[in-house]
């Protein structure tokens, strides 16, 4: 949707093909970091997002007793970049984006079967037997991208050896956490939470796959030695609304385009969620791609410019997130002990420097 909005605003005529038969009011939450909100500010929809989201002023790593390991204040970055970090329900964000694509055609229930390129045209063949011809195709179809599989046969998904539960809780917790994004680190498991509205808390829980038995495990048992706030959040979440996933990423690939077809977002650079930058990097790529297509008439050069601008940063996020996931999720008592000590003694200036690298837009 963000790619669509960016292209529409730059004068392109587009159509959207969605594999799902309908848009559902489902999903969990999403944190929109400062780099994301810079993009949405440029697209003119930041204020609309703010009205449906919760302002996040700090990102914290904590021990199970809620004592701090690290705390990154975001007010300095807000002043520098002129935007806020927020957390929002995914369906609310989707509705906002949907309302900003105007009369653009959206074709639902269009699952891609194959893709062909002939005479500078791209032909899409869908499982329902329909076809579509286009000058350019942008594959924004996620980590299991059918578009990517049509272009390249040697890409590799990587199992992070972690499983994840996500949910939205009605729990009323201490007001001090209202504007915080917290991640609580245990041993072989961790728990994160952030308000998406004053009375709604988005949370996620991870566990090492080697200790995993079934997706409907008792989360209260897994996290029984965590702070009571964690247990309260879990207790006050409808069990039927909890989402379960395994955690995978895409091993960084060298090329994001072929002919008149280009990949964006998770189709090109899917990452583990350990930096909270998965969707964020997708949104950055969407904007960069639209700019390159607007500024360069030659499609191949536009795609090359886009890849040149985005690949280094996106792949670095994938690499760092993979590493952090291994450390944060470690089962080793020694590694977890060292992790906690190093986290506490690392100067705040280093964390701020790393955050600035993420927040700076390169396009």
């Amino acid at each position: 949707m963000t790619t669509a909005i960016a292209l529409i605003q730059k004068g392109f005529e587009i159509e959207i093909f969605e594999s799902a038969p309908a848009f559902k009011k489902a999903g969990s939450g999403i944190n929109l970091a400062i780099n994301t909100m810079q993009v949405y500010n440029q697209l003119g929809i930041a204020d609309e997002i703010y009205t449906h989201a919760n302002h996040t002023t700090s990102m914290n790593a904590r021990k199970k007793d809620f004592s701090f390991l690290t705390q990154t204040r975001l007010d300095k970055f807000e002043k520098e970049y002129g935007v806020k970090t927020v957390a929002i329900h995914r369906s609310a964000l989707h509705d906002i984006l949907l309302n900003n694509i105007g009369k653009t055609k959206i074709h639902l229930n269009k699952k891609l079967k194959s893709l062909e390129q002939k005479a500078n045209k791209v032909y899409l063949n869908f499982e329902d037997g329909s076809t579509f011809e286009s000058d350019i195709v942008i594959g924004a179809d996620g980590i299991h991208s059918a578009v990517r599989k049509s272009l390249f046969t040697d890409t590799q998904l990587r199992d992070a050896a972690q499983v994840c539960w996500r949910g939205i809780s009605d729990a009323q917790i201490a007001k001090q956490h209202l504007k915080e994004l917290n991640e609580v680190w245990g041993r072989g498991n961790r728990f994160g939470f952030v308000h998406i509205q004053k009375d709604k808390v988005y949370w996620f829980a991870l566990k090492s796959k080697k200790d995993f038995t079934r997706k409907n495990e008792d989360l209260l048992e897994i996290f029984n030695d965590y702070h009571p706030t964690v247990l309260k959040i879990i207790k006050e979440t409808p069990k039927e609304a909890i989402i379960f996933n395994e955690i995978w990423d895409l091993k960084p690939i060298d090329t994001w385009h072929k002919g008149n077809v280009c990949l964006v977002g998770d189709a090109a650079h899917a990452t583990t969620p350990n930096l909270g930058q998965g969707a964020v990097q997708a949104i950055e790529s969407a904007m960069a791609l639209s700019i390159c297509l607007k500024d360069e008439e030659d499609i191949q050069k536009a795609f090359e410019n886009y890849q040149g601008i985005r690949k280094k940063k996106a792949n670095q996020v994938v690499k760092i997130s993979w590493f952090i996931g291994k450390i944060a999720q470690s089962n080793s008592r020694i590694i977890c002990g060292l992790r906690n000590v190093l986290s506490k003694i690392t100067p705040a200036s280093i964390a701020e420097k790393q955050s600035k690298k993420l927040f700076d837009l390169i396009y």
Side-chain angles (χ1 to χ4, degrees):
M1 288 294 179
T2 303
T3 307
I5 294 168
L7 289 169
I8 291 165
Q9 290 190 7
K10 289 172 178 57
F12 290 93
E13 182 180 338
I14 69 166
E15 296 190 33
I16 298 171
F17 294 84
E18 166 62 47
S19 63
F23 293 135
K24 297 179 180 179
K25 300 286 186 182
S28 55
I30 182 171
N31 195 60
L32 301 178
I34 283 194
N35 38 339
T36 321
M37 294 311 298
Q38 288 179 81
V39 172
Y40 285 139
N41 194 43
Q42 292 168 12
L43 293 174
I45 58 177
D47 288 343
E48 189 175 357
I49 290 173
Y50 290 146
T51 62
H52 293 84
N54 188 68
H55 182 197
T56 305
T57 60
S58 71
M59 299 185 297
N60 312 317
R62 297 176 182 266
K63 295 172 69 175
K64 291 188 288 186
D65 62 2
F66 266 34
S67 58
F68 283 109
L69 291 171
T70 65
Q71 182 179 44
T72 302
R73 298 288 307 176
L74 298 171
D75 49 350
K76 175 182 176 181
F77 298 112
E78 291 178 0
K79 291 178 182 177
E80 180 176 353
Y81 296 100
V83 295
K84 302 175 183 178
T85 294
V86 295
I88 189 171
H89 198 294
R90 283 180 179 265
S91 65
L93 176 61
H94 186 269
D95 285 345
I96 292 169
L97 299 179
L98 192 60
N99 289 336
N100 279 274
I101 64 168
K103 296 181 179 179
T104 298
K105 290 183 179 179
I106 300 178
H107 306 269
L108 297 174
N109 206 21
K110 294 293 181 181
K111 192 169 184 179
L112 186 67
K113 182 179 181 180
S114 64
L115 177 154
E116 301 172 275
Q117 299 193 62
K118 298 177 183 177
N120 215 31
K121 293 285 186 179
V122 186
Y123 298 88
L124 300 172
N125 303 303
F126 297 99
E127 290 191 357
D128 64 0
S130 63
T131 62
F132 187 81
E133 174 188 322
S134 181
D135 296 319
I136 298 173
V137 168
I138 306 301
D141 51 341
I143 188 171
H144 299 291
S145 172
V147 176
R148 186 182 67 243
K149 292 173 184 177
S150 295
L151 299 181
F152 311 112
T153 59
D154 58 348
T155 62
Q156 178 185 340
L157 299 184
R158 300 186 299 186
D159 185 357
Q162 300 167 24
V163 294
C164 180
W165 294 266
R166 295 181 177 91
I168 306 292
S169 176
D170 296 324
Q172 297 292 314
I173 58 178
K175 289 183 179 180
Q176 70 189 67
H177 302 309
L178 181 60
K179 294 184 179 296
E180 297 178 340
L181 190 159
N182 288 291
E183 189 162 306
V184 190
W185 291 356
R187 187 158 61 91
N189 51 53
R190 54 197 159 116
F191 189 93
F193 65 94
V194 63
H195 280 82
I196 55 174
Q197 297 173 12
K198 188 177 180 180
D199 57 349
K200 297 289 182 182
V201 180
Y202 161 56
W203 60 266
F204 52 92
L206 294 106
K207 182 178 182 179
S208 297
K209 188 179 286 186
K210 71 176 185 178
D211 300 323
F212 168 70
T213 56
R214 62 191 188 281
K215 69 179 183 180
N216 60 343
E217 284 190 55
D218 186 348
L219 296 179
L220 292 174
E221 182 177 334
I222 295 173
F223 296 98
N224 63 46
D225 58 344
Y226 275 58
H227 191 277
T229 296
V230 169
L231 302 180
K232 182 176 178 62
I233 290 171
I234 295 171
K235 283 179 183 177
E236 299 191 29
T237 304
K239 288 186 177 181
E240 66 275 9
I242 295 176
I243 299 168
F244 172 83
N245 299 104
E246 295 185 10
I247 302 297
W248 294 69
D249 78 357
L250 174 66
K251 184 178 180 180
I253 59 179
D254 291 329
T255 308
W256 294 357
H257 60 92
K258 186 176 183 181
N260 285 16
V261 182
C262 191
L263 305 174
V264 70
D266 280 2
H269 48 75
T271 182
T272 52
N274 304 299
L275 285 175
Q277 283 279 318
V280 175
Q281 289 301 304
I283 291 162
E284 250 191 79
S285 287
M287 190 66 168
L289 178 57
S290 72
I291 291 171
C292 291
L293 284 169
K294 176 66 174 178
D295 291 347
E296 177 58 67
E297 289 186 9
D298 185 289
I299 295 172
Q300 301 308 310
K301 287 183 179 178
F303 288 166
E304 288 171 9
N305 292 343
Y306 154 68
Q307 180 178 296
I309 289 169
R310 287 289 302 136
K311 191 173 81 165
K312 181 178 179 181
K313 180 179 180 181
N315 285 352
Q316 186 71 1
V317 167
V318 172
K319 180 180 179 181
I320 294 172
S321 183
W322 182 269
F323 174 76
I324 290 176
K326 294 301 181 184
I327 298 300
Q329 199 70 27
S330 176
N331 289 76
S332 167
R333 190 180 300 275
I334 293 174
I335 291 176
C336 288
L338 288 171
R339 173 199 71 193
N340 291 355
V341 170
L342 291 173
S343 296
K344 292 192 74 170
I345 66 175
T346 299
S349 59
I350 293 179
E352 289 181 0
K353 186 177 180 181
Q354 294 302 316
S355 293
K356 183 169 173 54
K357 287 182 179 180
L358 290 175
F359 298 157
D360 281 342
L361 299 180
I362 307 173
Y363 56 72

